[in-house]
Structure formats: C-alpha cells, structure tokens
Amino acid sequence: MIQAGSQLEELPEKEQWSPDIEKVSLMYNSISEISIDVLPTKCQLLTTLLLQGNPIKKIPYSFFTNMPCLSVLNLSSTKIQSLPNSISELKNLTTLLLCGCRELRDLPCLSMLQELKKLDLSGTKIEEVPEGMDMLIKLRYLNLQVFSLKEISAGLLPKLVHLQHLSFEVDNEKTSLKAEEMEPLKKLECFTGCFEDINELNKFISSMQQSKKNLIKYSLHVGSANFPHRRDKRVTIGGVQNWEGELIMHPIEIQELNILKCDYLRSLVDDNSSFKNAIDLRVCRIWWCEGIECVVSLSSFASSSAQPFQSLERLNLIDLPKLSALIMKDAGIGSETTSTLAPSAPFSHLKGITIFKCSSMKTLLPHWLLPNLQNLEQIWVDYYDEVVEILGAETSEVEEKGSDALIKFHLPKLRELELWRLPNLKSICSKSGVMVCDSLQLIQVAGDFDKLKRIPPFVALVGNGQPFAYAPPSLTIRSSTEWWESLEWDGHPNFKNVLQSLWKEKRFEPFIV
C-alpha cells in the first residue's frame, strides 16, 4: 500500500489494511495523530512500515501489537516524544530509523530487539543511551549524532563487534572516545567521532594499522569543531595546544584537513610536522591560528621524499594574523625572506584559494610560485587585508629582465578573481607585469579600493605579445561605478575601450566561500 505524499491527515481505514499486506508507505503526509479507531488489526505479514515526514506526536501502545513480522520501521522527522513499550516486542525488527525526531527524548528498553542491524538516532533529544543497547550484538549501523547525549556507557562499543558504520556527534565533548573502546570493532568501515586528545587518536589509527583495516569513510576529530564535508576521509583538529609527538597521518590516506585555534603552530608543513606525509590531501582549511606564519616550510622537502600538498585542490586560510607567505624558507619564518625556486609538486593541483583576514600578507602569489599554480581556477581575497598586490614579482626579477621588460604572469586556467574590501591593494599584478589568463571569466572588485587604480593588461596565450588592446574572450568585470571611473589607463586608451564593454556595475554583500 503506497500513499506517500497524498496529504493524508490520518491512517487509511481498517479495510485498506488487508491481511496479506507486506509493505506500507505513508511517508510525507500530514498525519499528526494515530487514532485507536483506525488501528490495523490483521497485519501478520507486514514487514515494512514507512511513516517518516509526518507530524505524528504519539503512537498508541497497541499499534505494533499486530505486526509480529515487522522488519523495517521508519519514523524519521516525526514529532514523537517517546515510543510505546510495545516496540520492544518486535523481535524481527532489523531497521529502526528515528533520524530528525527532534522531540524524541525517551526510548523503551531495546534488549529484546535481537535482530536489529540498523539504528539511527541522529538529531533526537535523547540524553541517555537506550537501555539494552549492549544486547544488540547484530548491529551493523549505529548513528548517535546526538548533541544532548550525556555520555557513552563504558564497555558498550566493545560488545557491538559487528559494527560497520558508527557515528557520534563531534561537537559534544561528552561523547569523546578512547581508542581502547574502539579497538574490538574490526569490521568498521565508516566512522565519525571525536577523541579525547591527540594521543587517543594516534592509538586508534595505530590499531587500525595493526589490524590492516582501512576505513572507507571517516571524520576523525580532536576538539569540538565541525565543518561541512567535502571529502570522505578527513581529520579536524580544534583548539589543541602543543600536542606531544607526531600526529599519525600517512596510514589513513587523509583527503581533508581542518586546523583551527591551534595557536602554537608556526608552519603547517615543516621538517617536524606530521602533515608532511599527507600526500593525498585534497582540501585544507586553516582558521583562527594566531601563530601560523607560512603554510609550507621548505625544510620539509630537504628531509623527506614525500611531497606535501601535491594533490591539494582547495585551500582556505581564514583569520591568520601572522601569515606572510604560502611557501617560505626556514630562514624566512619570522621575516620576509622567501625562496625564488619553488619545489615542483606543492599546490600543483590547486584549483581554489581563499584568503580572509590575513593581515600580514603583502603579496598573495609571488611570480616564482606561479609554475606550481597552473591548475588554479579561483582566487578569493577578502576583508581589510594588508595585501598590496595579488601577483607580485620580486625586485631581483624586475632588475634581471630590465625595467622596460614585461613579466608574464601565466595562470592559464584562472576563471575567477574576486577581491573584497582591500583598502591597501595597489595592484593586481606588478606594474611591469601582464596577465596570461585566457580562461578568465570574472574580475570582481567590491568594497574599499582607494589605492587600486589600474587593471593589468593581458596577453593572449598565442599571439605577438601585444597586451594593450586585448582581453580574455569570456571576461566580465564587476565593480561599483565609482571605482571604475577612478581607474587610470597609463596612456593606453585602446585597452580601456576593449574593457568598457566587459564592465558591469554591481553592488555586493560580502560572504566567505
């Protein structure tokens, strides 16, 4: 019987519940009450009952008494506050889904549900682990992403040895885990949870190594901090100060790394860093770390065959007041000295970079680093940074080429250049530079830009090198009228004429990507 999304306000009449009915779907209706008068009485063969998405507040005790074969029960996103004790008698139940039942605070004893394999309690308001859960030894899937949960009973997890999927709420410090509780779970494939400290996380990763078991999907946390998922394998470290020993990264093939409020870090990747072996990393976010001075220190390349950040696609750097460079020599930490030769691998797959509120950064991308950034598609810089130029050439490079020579900034895949609220920005690229960016689709300038007075000239990827009357074919420039009219064209009116048709007035409300 399928009456999903049929605007029902109550259960179908008794006559519709035939004795031979096996599966019923009444999901996404307007059923708020289950009346005793319409309760089915002959559902001896019913195996599947789907009631999710209904505003059901209460279920009578007798509702489940005539469903001895019920195997799958979905009550997700209903308004029930408790379940009737009769649910404990569903000895054939294999799947119980209560995801998003935001009013649910109490469950009956589950010890009789010996066949249960999947239990989802995420988004409920329960405070205690349901009584009898330690008896559910056939459980394969358990979701306890519940912020209100007060604790995880010691000794519970080691009894659930068949678990393949396990999830806890990582922003709830009361549900942080110890590795010894997880060690017996040899069949675990998908896991989300928070460990008490770095030491416990290392123990867990070591035990997985020893059992030669690799998680297919995981989100491992130390400290309470959560981010939207971008990748299947991620580690989040929040508010941890001066952990002892190295964090084990390489064995778990990390794809996403989030670091926030770890103020003692000066460089994410250096000679002593555990992150230098994270060669599969695709997404990296560094937020609110007051000590970070660079992302990569070149010493990490001299002492290791690993190439950190060689697979990185997305880099977000948010509120790092001491950050002055992406890549820096050891001698450069704490100074402006940077390398003029970048290692070949780091950032070679980078597609997008976001810089927000990094007040010590003067030049975002130096010319010597651009060979590493040939896959870069998006640059986003925001919020009163002290940045003076986006693409910069060092004085030595300018002197070597001669003051009248053009320095070409090759970014062949760049599509978007978004600049927000940068009052000290003087140039998009050095005054002697031209941009080689045929894929560029958008230059967006919004906010206070009193010092930015010119758009750099462009050179076609193929052509005679004349920059002044050329623009990428798909380019749009968005800015305020005031900024556009304040631009200076350095005596090249043809360039202004070419760009005029590409400009569009736009006012924006800033946001962070």
Side-chain angles (χ1 to χ4, degrees):
M1 178 168 60
I2 300 176
Q3 296 189 36
S6 300
Q7 299 181 341
L8 300 180
E9 295 185 358
E10 59 183 22
L11 290 182
E13 297 294 331
K14 285 184 179 182
E15 296 75 30
Q16 297 186 51
W17 298 77
S18 59
D20 60 349
I21 200 166
E22 294 181 10
K23 300 177 187 291
V24 174
S25 174
L26 302 173
M27 65 175 79
Y28 305 117
N29 281 294
S30 300
I31 302 169
S32 60
E33 183 179 353
I34 297 179
S35 172
I36 297 178
D37 297 334
V38 296
L39 287 183
T41 55
K42 299 178 181 179
C43 294
Q44 301 297 307
L45 302 180
L46 185 66
T47 62
T48 302
L49 179 57
L50 308 179
L51 291 169
Q52 67 265 36
N54 282 286
I56 300 170
K57 296 180 180 178
K58 188 176 180 181
I59 299 177
Y61 176 89
S62 56
F63 183 62
F64 295 116
T65 55
N66 294 308
M67 302 176 184
C69 292
L70 193 62
S71 174
V72 176
L73 175 60
N74 193 338
L75 292 167
S76 299
S77 300
T78 58
K79 295 185 178 181
I80 54 173
Q81 297 181 3
S82 62
L83 291 177
N85 289 333
S86 57
I87 203 170
S88 301
E89 300 171 14
L90 300 175
K91 296 182 180 181
N92 290 301
L93 197 65
T94 62
T95 301
L96 177 58
L97 306 178
L98 298 163
C99 170
C101 293
R102 302 185 183 281
E103 307 298 323
L104 182 61
R105 301 175 184 276
D106 186 38
L107 276 82
C109 180
L110 304 180
S111 61
M112 299 291 288
L113 305 181
Q114 296 288 302
E115 298 300 316
L116 200 63
K117 295 180 180 179
K118 183 171 184 176
L119 178 60
D120 191 341
L121 297 171
S122 60
T124 64
K125 286 293 196 303
I126 63 170
E127 296 184 357
E128 307 289 342
V129 171
E131 183 183 350
M133 187 179 288
D134 57 337
M135 302 293 289
L136 307 181
I137 57 174
K138 292 187 179 182
L139 267 185
R140 305 292 197 270
Y141 180 108
L142 176 59
N143 193 329
L144 279 170
Q145 290 187 295
V146 180
F147 186 78
S148 56
L149 200 62
K150 291 182 177 179
E151 65 175 350
I152 303 167
S153 307
L156 169 63
L157 294 179
K159 295 179 180 178
L160 306 179
V161 294
H162 293 292
L163 277 178
Q164 296 170 318
H165 179 113
L166 177 62
S167 297
F168 289 100
E169 172 58 60
V170 297
D171 272 343
N172 184 357
E173 294 181 0
K174 296 175 183 177
T175 60
S176 57
L177 298 163
K178 290 189 175 181
E180 63 181 4
E181 292 278 300
M182 301 289 299
E183 198 276 332
L185 306 183
K186 305 296 186 184
K187 297 182 179 181
L188 200 61
E189 296 177 353
C190 301
F191 173 56
T192 297
C194 185
F195 289 90
E196 287 187 354
D197 50 39
I198 293 288
N199 186 43
E200 291 297 330
L201 175 59
N202 279 341
K203 286 180 181 178
F204 170 72
I205 295 172
S206 295
S207 69
M208 298 296 290
Q209 230 182 324
Q210 292 169 8
S211 63
K212 297 183 179 180
K213 177 68 176 176
N214 287 324
L215 294 172
I216 296 171
K217 187 175 182 178
Y218 64 78
S219 183
L220 309 179
H221 294 245
V222 177
S224 58
N226 210 349
F227 289 88
H229 281 77
R230 284 182 180 261
R231 296 286 173 170
D232 286 344
K233 299 180 178 182
R234 73 169 183 166
V235 171
T236 298
I237 311 294
V240 176
Q241 303 303 325
N242 199 23
W243 59 65
E244 295 182 6
E246 284 197 358
L247 174 63
I248 301 173
M249 303 292 281
H250 183 56
I252 58 174
E253 301 172 329
I254 180 175
Q255 297 174 348
E256 178 179 335
L257 174 64
N258 302 305
I259 302 286
L260 71 160
K261 296 182 179 179
C262 296
D263 294 337
Y264 76 96
L265 285 175
R266 298 178 67 202
S267 170
L268 192 61
V269 178
D270 59 27
D271 191 31
N272 299 314
S273 168
S274 357
F275 303 116
K276 65 185 178 185
N277 292 319
I279 59 175
D280 296 311
L281 197 64
R282 301 294 196 277
V283 177
C284 180
R285 303 180 182 98
I286 311 174
W287 289 33
W288 307 319
C289 296
E290 292 190 359
I292 288 278
E293 297 178 17
C294 68
V295 179
V296 177
S297 170
L298 290 185
S299 66
S300 58
F301 299 93
S303 62
S304 173
S305 60
Q307 295 287 356
F309 292 155
Q310 64 180 7
S311 302
L312 193 69
E313 296 176 3
R314 182 79 223 177
L315 178 62
N316 284 23
L317 304 172
I318 308 296
D319 206 345
L320 309 175
K322 293 183 180 179
L323 182 74
S324 59
L326 297 183
I327 298 180
M328 190 180 287
K329 292 181 187 176
D330 287 344
I333 295 182
S335 76
E336 294 299 319
T337 305
T338 56
S339 173
T340 56
L341 292 174
S344 59
F347 307 123
S348 60
H349 287 83
L350 191 66
K351 294 181 179 179
I353 182 169
T354 295
I355 308 285
F356 178 84
K357 206 174 181 180
C358 296
S359 54
S360 295
M361 211 164 200
K362 305 297 184 183
T363 298
L364 178 64
L365 302 176
H367 186 258
W368 57 264
L369 183 57
L370 296 195
N372 294 48
L373 303 175
Q374 297 301 288
N375 288 300
L376 191 63
E377 297 176 3
Q378 183 191 49
I379 299 172
W380 179 294
V381 191
D382 188 8
Y383 194 59
Y384 290 103
D385 300 324
E386 292 299 315
V387 64
V388 174
E389 57 186 358
I390 304 300
L391 307 172
E394 294 185 355
T395 304
S396 58
E397 292 180 85
V398 176
E399 292 174 349
E400 181 182 334
K401 292 179 179 290
S403 59
D404 296 329
L406 295 176
I407 296 179
K408 294 181 180 180
F409 291 84
H410 286 264
L411 290 171
K413 294 186 179 180
L414 187 66
R415 293 185 295 104
E416 298 179 9
L417 175 60
E418 305 202 32
L419 309 173
W420 300 75
R421 301 177 294 182
L422 305 175
N424 290 298
L425 185 68
K426 293 181 179 179
S427 62
I428 292 175
C429 71
S430 296
K431 193 168 184 179
S432 56
V434 293
M435 295 181 70
V436 186
C437 304
D438 270 8
S439 296
L440 194 60
Q441 297 174 10
L442 175 65
I443 295 178
Q444 187 159 279
V445 178
D448 182 6
F449 282 86
D450 292 340
K451 297 180 181 179
L452 183 62
K453 295 299 183 184
R454 62 189 292 268
I455 295 176
F458 297 93
V459 170
L461 284 173
V462 180
N464 61 8
Q466 173 56 252
F468 301 120
Y470 173 80
S474 58
L475 178 62
T476 297
I477 301 171
R478 294 180 178 176
S479 74
S480 66
T481 301
E482 293 82 0
W483 179 76
W484 180 258
E485 292 179 347
S486 72
L487 290 178
E488 300 169 358
W489 298 98
D490 296 335
H492 303 294
N494 288 340
F495 185 42
K496 179 179 181 181
N497 293 337
V498 168
L499 295 186
Q500 183 68 47
S501 62
L502 307 178
W503 172 74
K504 295 181 181 179
E505 181 182 20
K506 191 74 174 179
R507 297 187 181 276
F508 304 91
E509 290 297 326
F511 62 97
I512 302 174
V513 293

